[in-house]
Amino acid sequence: MPPARKRPRAYDPARTRAAVLAQFGNVRAAARTLTPEQLALPTRLGDRTVRELVAHAGRVLTAVDRLLDEPEPARQDGRLLDWPFAIGADADADADAVARTARRPAGEHPGLDAHLAEAERRFTERLDTHPGSRLLPTGAGALPLADYVVTRTVELVVHTDDLTAAVPGLDIPYDRQALAAATRLLADALAVKAPGGSTEVRIPPYAVVQCGEGPRHTRGTPPSVVETDPLTWVRLAAGRLSWTDAVTEAKVSASGERADLGALLPLLS
């Protein structure tokens, strides 16, 4: 296995944009199949219903619109890998947007699919008219637009899983590039949270990182190894699955004295 990455991972903006739109399209297509009874079902996200969760998927894209309407910061003072640890600040901004929507007269509320269609249109239009270097004032500091779009893959993959868990029989596909970007961003965030080289975390086929204090290995099998699949990793990082449950259910393979990542998870906060 290769050693941990020493440079920030690069993401191709065109591929990231395509991945976001593909995963959003998967969610939108699934939403069209939901009955009123299914839309009223609860989710694992507190008081949020399936309808509200689908609507939130639209706001995952319109967050770009909202941030582009803010004054551009003078300089970049955040990093892409800071975003997972500052997601709470972005969630507060989303809650404010939800509250403003709720205060509109009933006649001004668009239908659910119309809301998603408008979100997709605005997202595409904004990416067509703004360079990827344009800075956005995010909860993680000023980030380039191209970097912020990568974070949209995490939100969409996580909420796709939330929807699938909430509606029996619903099977929303995962775009390969969206799942790859989400997996890699969250894996790299783990390496930032726990720098070091004592444990190798393998998430085939998308990511390998080293983390944790201790000796860094350069060849052969490392002393501690954790391996899991991409969707399980996203669930662990997002707090949808506990480390203990993942190990008990054999969704994670962990060997070595430093292979317990329970104290480091979840990453999104």
PDB file of all heavy atoms in Angstrom, residues 201-202 225-229 232-233 236 241-255 259-261 265:
ATOM      1  N   VAL A 201      -5.493   3.415   6.961  1.00  0.00           N
ATOM      2  CA  VAL A 201      -6.920   3.255   6.733  1.00  0.00           C
ATOM      3  C   VAL A 201      -7.139   3.054   5.242  1.00  0.00           C
ATOM      4  O   VAL A 201      -6.799   3.928   4.430  1.00  0.00           O
ATOM      5  CB  VAL A 201      -7.715   4.487   7.235  1.00  0.00           C
ATOM      6  CG1 VAL A 201      -9.210   4.297   6.999  1.00  0.00           C
ATOM      7  CG2 VAL A 201      -7.441   4.715   8.720  1.00  0.00           C
ATOM      8  N   ARG A 202      -7.674   1.908   4.908  1.00  0.00           N
ATOM      9  CA  ARG A 202      -7.883   1.534   3.507  1.00  0.00           C
ATOM     10  C   ARG A 202      -9.379   1.519   3.206  1.00  0.00           C
ATOM     11  O   ARG A 202     -10.154   0.851   3.895  1.00  0.00           O
ATOM     12  CB  ARG A 202      -7.288   0.158   3.241  1.00  0.00           C
ATOM     13  CG  ARG A 202      -5.813   0.051   3.574  1.00  0.00           C
ATOM     14  CD  ARG A 202      -5.324  -1.391   3.512  1.00  0.00           C
ATOM     15  NE  ARG A 202      -3.897  -1.494   3.805  1.00  0.00           N
ATOM     16  CZ  ARG A 202      -3.254  -2.647   3.956  1.00  0.00           C
ATOM     17  NH1 ARG A 202      -3.908  -3.802   3.841  1.00  0.00           N
ATOM     18  NH2 ARG A 202      -1.954  -2.658   4.220  1.00  0.00           N
ATOM     19  N   VAL A 225      -3.951  -1.698  10.836  1.00  0.00           N
ATOM     20  CA  VAL A 225      -4.671  -1.525   9.576  1.00  0.00           C
ATOM     21  C   VAL A 225      -6.170  -1.519   9.828  1.00  0.00           C
ATOM     22  O   VAL A 225      -6.688  -2.354  10.576  1.00  0.00           O
ATOM     23  CB  VAL A 225      -4.330  -2.652   8.573  1.00  0.00           C
ATOM     24  CG1 VAL A 225      -5.162  -2.507   7.296  1.00  0.00           C
ATOM     25  CG2 VAL A 225      -2.849  -2.649   8.244  1.00  0.00           C
ATOM     26  N   VAL A 226      -6.852  -0.574   9.202  1.00  0.00           N
ATOM     27  CA  VAL A 226      -8.315  -0.512   9.203  1.00  0.00           C
ATOM     28  C   VAL A 226      -8.767  -0.561   7.759  1.00  0.00           C
ATOM     29  O   VAL A 226      -8.213   0.151   6.907  1.00  0.00           O
ATOM     30  CB  VAL A 226      -8.836   0.782   9.874  1.00  0.00           C
ATOM     31  CG1 VAL A 226     -10.344   0.903   9.697  1.00  0.00           C
ATOM     32  CG2 VAL A 226      -8.458   0.809  11.343  1.00  0.00           C
ATOM     33  N   GLU A 227      -9.752  -1.392   7.464  1.00  0.00           N
ATOM     34  CA  GLU A 227     -10.261  -1.461   6.096  1.00  0.00           C
ATOM     35  C   GLU A 227     -11.775  -1.547   6.122  1.00  0.00           C
ATOM     36  O   GLU A 227     -12.362  -2.268   6.933  1.00  0.00           O
ATOM     37  CB  GLU A 227      -9.683  -2.661   5.350  1.00  0.00           C
ATOM     38  CG  GLU A 227     -10.108  -2.708   3.880  1.00  0.00           C
ATOM     39  CD  GLU A 227      -9.271  -3.669   3.046  1.00  0.00           C
ATOM     40  OE1 GLU A 227      -8.121  -3.964   3.446  1.00  0.00           O
ATOM     41  OE2 GLU A 227      -9.763  -4.109   1.988  1.00  0.00           O
ATOM     42  N   THR A 228     -12.410  -0.822   5.223  1.00  0.00           N
ATOM     43  CA  THR A 228     -13.860  -0.853   5.098  1.00  0.00           C
ATOM     44  C   THR A 228     -14.246  -0.424   3.700  1.00  0.00           C
ATOM     45  O   THR A 228     -13.405  -0.027   2.894  1.00  0.00           O
ATOM     46  CB  THR A 228     -14.525   0.039   6.162  1.00  0.00           C
ATOM     47  OG1 THR A 228     -15.940  -0.186   6.162  1.00  0.00           O
ATOM     48  CG2 THR A 228     -14.258   1.522   5.897  1.00  0.00           C
ATOM     49  N   ASP A 229     -15.535  -0.490   3.399  1.00  0.00           N
ATOM     50  CA  ASP A 229     -16.020  -0.083   2.084  1.00  0.00           C
ATOM     51  C   ASP A 229     -16.399   1.398   2.107  1.00  0.00           C
ATOM     52  O   ASP A 229     -16.587   1.983   3.187  1.00  0.00           O
ATOM     53  CB  ASP A 229     -17.230  -0.934   1.677  1.00  0.00           C
ATOM     54  CG  ASP A 229     -18.408  -0.716   2.610  1.00  0.00           C
ATOM     55  OD1 ASP A 229     -18.448  -1.372   3.676  1.00  0.00           O
ATOM     56  OD2 ASP A 229     -19.274   0.128   2.299  1.00  0.00           O
ATOM     57  N   THR A 232     -19.759   2.450   4.049  1.00  0.00           N
ATOM     58  CA  THR A 232     -19.594   2.316   5.500  1.00  0.00           C
ATOM     59  C   THR A 232     -18.715   3.435   6.037  1.00  0.00           C
ATOM     60  O   THR A 232     -18.995   4.008   7.107  1.00  0.00           O
ATOM     61  CB  THR A 232     -18.975   0.947   5.848  1.00  0.00           C
ATOM     62  OG1 THR A 232     -19.888  -0.090   5.469  1.00  0.00           O
ATOM     63  CG2 THR A 232     -18.692   0.841   7.338  1.00  0.00           C
ATOM     64  N   TRP A 233     -17.657   3.780   5.303  1.00  0.00           N
ATOM     65  CA  TRP A 233     -16.785   4.865   5.750  1.00  0.00           C
ATOM     66  C   TRP A 233     -17.542   6.189   5.828  1.00  0.00           C
ATOM     67  O   TRP A 233     -17.407   6.940   6.801  1.00  0.00           O
ATOM     68  CB  TRP A 233     -15.583   4.994   4.822  1.00  0.00           C
ATOM     69  CG  TRP A 233     -14.769   6.227   5.120  1.00  0.00           C
ATOM     70  CD1 TRP A 233     -14.560   7.290   4.299  1.00  0.00           C
ATOM     71  CD2 TRP A 233     -14.100   6.523   6.350  1.00  0.00           C
ATOM     72  NE1 TRP A 233     -13.805   8.234   4.933  1.00  0.00           N
ATOM     73  CE2 TRP A 233     -13.504   7.795   6.189  1.00  0.00           C
ATOM     74  CE3 TRP A 233     -13.957   5.842   7.547  1.00  0.00           C
ATOM     75  CZ2 TRP A 233     -12.767   8.395   7.202  1.00  0.00           C
ATOM     76  CZ3 TRP A 233     -13.226   6.452   8.571  1.00  0.00           C
ATOM     77  CH2 TRP A 233     -12.635   7.713   8.390  1.00  0.00           C
ATOM     78  N   LEU A 236     -19.691   6.156   8.905  1.00  0.00           N
ATOM     79  CA  LEU A 236     -18.892   6.360  10.112  1.00  0.00           C
ATOM     80  C   LEU A 236     -18.490   7.828  10.259  1.00  0.00           C
ATOM     81  O   LEU A 236     -18.617   8.418  11.336  1.00  0.00           O
ATOM     82  CB  LEU A 236     -17.636   5.487  10.054  1.00  0.00           C
ATOM     83  CG  LEU A 236     -17.814   3.994  10.290  1.00  0.00           C
ATOM     84  CD1 LEU A 236     -16.553   3.241   9.863  1.00  0.00           C
ATOM     85  CD2 LEU A 236     -18.129   3.709  11.752  1.00  0.00           C
ATOM     86  N   LEU A 241     -23.305   5.733  11.681  1.00  0.00           N
ATOM     87  CA  LEU A 241     -22.963   4.400  12.149  1.00  0.00           C
ATOM     88  C   LEU A 241     -21.849   4.543  13.176  1.00  0.00           C
ATOM     89  O   LEU A 241     -20.879   5.262  12.951  1.00  0.00           O
ATOM     90  CB  LEU A 241     -22.490   3.536  10.966  1.00  0.00           C
ATOM     91  CG  LEU A 241     -22.015   2.114  11.268  1.00  0.00           C
ATOM     92  CD1 LEU A 241     -23.166   1.252  11.766  1.00  0.00           C
ATOM     93  CD2 LEU A 241     -21.400   1.493  10.004  1.00  0.00           C
ATOM     94  N   SER A 242     -21.990   3.859  14.307  1.00  0.00           N
ATOM     95  CA  SER A 242     -20.955   3.935  15.333  1.00  0.00           C
ATOM     96  C   SER A 242     -19.826   2.969  15.010  1.00  0.00           C
ATOM     97  O   SER A 242     -20.024   1.950  14.335  1.00  0.00           O
ATOM     98  CB  SER A 242     -21.538   3.607  16.707  1.00  0.00           C
ATOM     99  OG  SER A 242     -21.810   2.217  16.815  1.00  0.00           O
ATOM    100  N   TRP A 243     -18.652   3.295  15.508  1.00  0.00           N
ATOM    101  CA  TRP A 243     -17.498   2.431  15.308  1.00  0.00           C
ATOM    102  C   TRP A 243     -17.745   1.039  15.905  1.00  0.00           C
ATOM    103  O   TRP A 243     -17.462   0.025  15.283  1.00  0.00           O
ATOM    104  CB  TRP A 243     -16.270   3.065  15.946  1.00  0.00           C
ATOM    105  CG  TRP A 243     -15.058   2.185  15.909  1.00  0.00           C
ATOM    106  CD1 TRP A 243     -14.540   1.433  16.930  1.00  0.00           C
ATOM    107  CD2 TRP A 243     -14.207   1.957  14.780  1.00  0.00           C
ATOM    108  NE1 TRP A 243     -13.429   0.756  16.515  1.00  0.00           N
ATOM    109  CE2 TRP A 243     -13.202   1.056  15.202  1.00  0.00           C
ATOM    110  CE3 TRP A 243     -14.191   2.423  13.474  1.00  0.00           C
ATOM    111  CZ2 TRP A 243     -12.190   0.614  14.359  1.00  0.00           C
ATOM    112  CZ3 TRP A 243     -13.183   1.985  12.620  1.00  0.00           C
ATOM    113  CH2 TRP A 243     -12.205   1.095  13.064  1.00  0.00           C
ATOM    114  N   THR A 244     -18.307   1.004  17.100  1.00  0.00           N
ATOM    115  CA  THR A 244     -18.570  -0.270  17.758  1.00  0.00           C
ATOM    116  C   THR A 244     -19.507  -1.135  16.936  1.00  0.00           C
ATOM    117  O   THR A 244     -19.264  -2.334  16.743  1.00  0.00           O
ATOM    118  CB  THR A 244     -19.165  -0.035  19.157  1.00  0.00           C
ATOM    119  OG1 THR A 244     -18.227   0.709  19.947  1.00  0.00           O
ATOM    120  CG2 THR A 244     -19.465  -1.356  19.847  1.00  0.00           C
ATOM    121  N   ASP A 245     -20.582  -0.556  16.433  1.00  0.00           N
ATOM    122  CA  ASP A 245     -21.532  -1.328  15.625  1.00  0.00           C
ATOM    123  C   ASP A 245     -20.888  -1.801  14.328  1.00  0.00           C
ATOM    124  O   ASP A 245     -21.137  -2.924  13.873  1.00  0.00           O
ATOM    125  CB  ASP A 245     -22.770  -0.491  15.318  1.00  0.00           C
ATOM    126  CG  ASP A 245     -23.669  -0.313  16.535  1.00  0.00           C
ATOM    127  OD1 ASP A 245     -23.471  -1.045  17.527  1.00  0.00           O
ATOM    128  OD2 ASP A 245     -24.564   0.556  16.494  1.00  0.00           O
ATOM    129  N   ALA A 246     -20.084  -0.945  13.719  1.00  0.00           N
ATOM    130  CA  ALA A 246     -19.444  -1.318  12.458  1.00  0.00           C
ATOM    131  C   ALA A 246     -18.511  -2.510  12.646  1.00  0.00           C
ATOM    132  O   ALA A 246     -18.474  -3.433  11.823  1.00  0.00           O
ATOM    133  CB  ALA A 246     -18.674  -0.134  11.881  1.00  0.00           C
ATOM    134  N   VAL A 247     -17.760  -2.525  13.740  1.00  0.00           N
ATOM    135  CA  VAL A 247     -16.852  -3.639  14.015  1.00  0.00           C
ATOM    136  C   VAL A 247     -17.650  -4.890  14.361  1.00  0.00           C
ATOM    137  O   VAL A 247     -17.371  -5.992  13.870  1.00  0.00           O
ATOM    138  CB  VAL A 247     -15.881  -3.270  15.148  1.00  0.00           C
ATOM    139  CG1 VAL A 247     -15.064  -4.489  15.563  1.00  0.00           C
ATOM    140  CG2 VAL A 247     -14.959  -2.136  14.714  1.00  0.00           C
ATOM    141  N   THR A 248     -18.672  -4.743  15.205  1.00  0.00           N
ATOM    142  CA  THR A 248     -19.490  -5.880  15.620  1.00  0.00           C
ATOM    143  C   THR A 248     -20.176  -6.537  14.428  1.00  0.00           C
ATOM    144  O   THR A 248     -20.283  -7.770  14.349  1.00  0.00           O
ATOM    145  CB  THR A 248     -20.545  -5.435  16.643  1.00  0.00           C
ATOM    146  OG1 THR A 248     -19.888  -4.891  17.790  1.00  0.00           O
ATOM    147  CG2 THR A 248     -21.430  -6.600  17.069  1.00  0.00           C
ATOM    148  N   GLU A 249     -20.634  -5.709  13.483  1.00  0.00           N
ATOM    149  CA  GLU A 249     -21.339  -6.222  12.314  1.00  0.00           C
ATOM    150  C   GLU A 249     -20.387  -6.604  11.182  1.00  0.00           C
ATOM    151  O   GLU A 249     -20.834  -6.900  10.064  1.00  0.00           O
ATOM    152  CB  GLU A 249     -22.332  -5.165  11.820  1.00  0.00           C
ATOM    153  CG  GLU A 249     -23.418  -4.847  12.843  1.00  0.00           C
ATOM    154  CD  GLU A 249     -24.232  -3.607  12.487  1.00  0.00           C
ATOM    155  OE1 GLU A 249     -24.107  -3.132  11.331  1.00  0.00           O
ATOM    156  OE2 GLU A 249     -24.968  -3.110  13.356  1.00  0.00           O
ATOM    157  N   ALA A 250     -19.093  -6.597  11.472  1.00  0.00           N
ATOM    158  CA  ALA A 250     -18.061  -6.981  10.492  1.00  0.00           C
ATOM    159  C   ALA A 250     -18.091  -6.105   9.243  1.00  0.00           C
ATOM    160  O   ALA A 250     -17.731  -6.549   8.159  1.00  0.00           O
ATOM    161  CB  ALA A 250     -18.207  -8.448  10.114  1.00  0.00           C
ATOM    162  N   LYS A 251     -18.482  -4.856   9.415  1.00  0.00           N
ATOM    163  CA  LYS A 251     -18.427  -3.912   8.308  1.00  0.00           C
ATOM    164  C   LYS A 251     -17.070  -3.219   8.239  1.00  0.00           C
ATOM    165  O   LYS A 251     -16.765  -2.536   7.262  1.00  0.00           O
ATOM    166  CB  LYS A 251     -19.549  -2.878   8.448  1.00  0.00           C
ATOM    167  CG  LYS A 251     -20.938  -3.489   8.301  1.00  0.00           C
ATOM    168  CD  LYS A 251     -22.018  -2.440   8.436  1.00  0.00           C
ATOM    169  CE  LYS A 251     -23.407  -3.059   8.229  1.00  0.00           C
ATOM    170  NZ  LYS A 251     -24.491  -2.077   8.383  1.00  0.00           N
ATOM    171  N   VAL A 252     -16.286  -3.396   9.288  1.00  0.00           N
ATOM    172  CA  VAL A 252     -14.938  -2.846   9.363  1.00  0.00           C
ATOM    173  C   VAL A 252     -14.000  -3.944   9.814  1.00  0.00           C
ATOM    174  O   VAL A 252     -14.321  -4.710  10.729  1.00  0.00           O
ATOM    175  CB  VAL A 252     -14.866  -1.667  10.355  1.00  0.00           C
ATOM    176  CG1 VAL A 252     -13.425  -1.299  10.655  1.00  0.00           C
ATOM    177  CG2 VAL A 252     -15.602  -0.460   9.814  1.00  0.00           C
ATOM    178  N   SER A 253     -12.840  -4.017   9.173  1.00  0.00           N
ATOM    179  CA  SER A 253     -11.767  -4.904   9.616  1.00  0.00           C
ATOM    180  C   SER A 253     -10.709  -4.039  10.279  1.00  0.00           C
ATOM    181  O   SER A 253     -10.217  -3.085   9.671  1.00  0.00           O
ATOM    182  CB  SER A 253     -11.175  -5.658   8.420  1.00  0.00           C
ATOM    183  OG  SER A 253      -9.991  -6.330   8.787  1.00  0.00           O
ATOM    184  N   ALA A 254     -10.367  -4.349  11.533  1.00  0.00           N
ATOM    185  CA  ALA A 254      -9.401  -3.543  12.269  1.00  0.00           C
ATOM    186  C   ALA A 254      -8.410  -4.453  12.973  1.00  0.00           C
ATOM    187  O   ALA A 254      -8.806  -5.306  13.774  1.00  0.00           O
ATOM    188  CB  ALA A 254     -10.117  -2.643  13.279  1.00  0.00           C
ATOM    189  N   SER A 255      -7.121  -4.276  12.688  1.00  0.00           N
ATOM    190  CA  SER A 255      -6.095  -5.097  13.316  1.00  0.00           C
ATOM    191  C   SER A 255      -4.943  -4.224  13.778  1.00  0.00           C
ATOM    192  O   SER A 255      -4.583  -3.244  13.121  1.00  0.00           O
ATOM    193  CB  SER A 255      -5.583  -6.155  12.331  1.00  0.00           C
ATOM    194  OG  SER A 255      -4.983  -5.544  11.196  1.00  0.00           O
ATOM    195  N   ALA A 259      -5.625   0.418  15.984  1.00  0.00           N
ATOM    196  CA  ALA A 259      -6.625   0.344  14.914  1.00  0.00           C
ATOM    197  C   ALA A 259      -8.024   0.746  15.350  1.00  0.00           C
ATOM    198  O   ALA A 259      -8.954   0.672  14.554  1.00  0.00           O
ATOM    199  CB  ALA A 259      -6.660  -1.077  14.336  1.00  0.00           C
ATOM    200  N   ASP A 260      -8.188   1.180  16.591  1.00  0.00           N
ATOM    201  CA  ASP A 260      -9.503   1.615  17.065  1.00  0.00           C
ATOM    202  C   ASP A 260      -9.675   3.104  16.755  1.00  0.00           C
ATOM    203  O   ASP A 260      -9.033   3.962  17.365  1.00  0.00           O
ATOM    204  CB  ASP A 260      -9.617   1.372  18.561  1.00  0.00           C
ATOM    205  CG  ASP A 260     -11.026   1.637  19.094  1.00  0.00           C
ATOM    206  OD1 ASP A 260     -11.800   2.336  18.410  1.00  0.00           O
ATOM    207  OD2 ASP A 260     -11.341   1.156  20.191  1.00  0.00           O
ATOM    208  N   LEU A 261     -10.557   3.418  15.814  1.00  0.00           N
ATOM    209  CA  LEU A 261     -10.792   4.809  15.420  1.00  0.00           C
ATOM    210  C   LEU A 261     -12.004   5.417  16.116  1.00  0.00           C
ATOM    211  O   LEU A 261     -12.408   6.537  15.792  1.00  0.00           O
ATOM    212  CB  LEU A 261     -11.008   4.884  13.893  1.00  0.00           C
ATOM    213  CG  LEU A 261      -9.895   4.349  13.006  1.00  0.00           C
ATOM    214  CD1 LEU A 261     -10.248   4.576  11.541  1.00  0.00           C
ATOM    215  CD2 LEU A 261      -8.551   4.982  13.336  1.00  0.00           C
ATOM    216  N   LEU A 265     -14.118   9.461  15.554  1.00  0.00           N
ATOM    217  CA  LEU A 265     -15.323   9.548  14.731  1.00  0.00           C
ATOM    218  C   LEU A 265     -16.526   9.976  15.558  1.00  0.00           C
ATOM    219  O   LEU A 265     -16.577   9.707  16.760  1.00  0.00           O
ATOM    220  CB  LEU A 265     -15.589   8.182  14.071  1.00  0.00           C
ATOM    221  CG  LEU A 265     -14.462   7.675  13.159  1.00  0.00           C
ATOM    222  CD1 LEU A 265     -14.713   6.224  12.777  1.00  0.00           C
ATOM    223  CD2 LEU A 265     -14.359   8.536  11.907  1.00  0.00           C
TER     224      LEU A 265
END
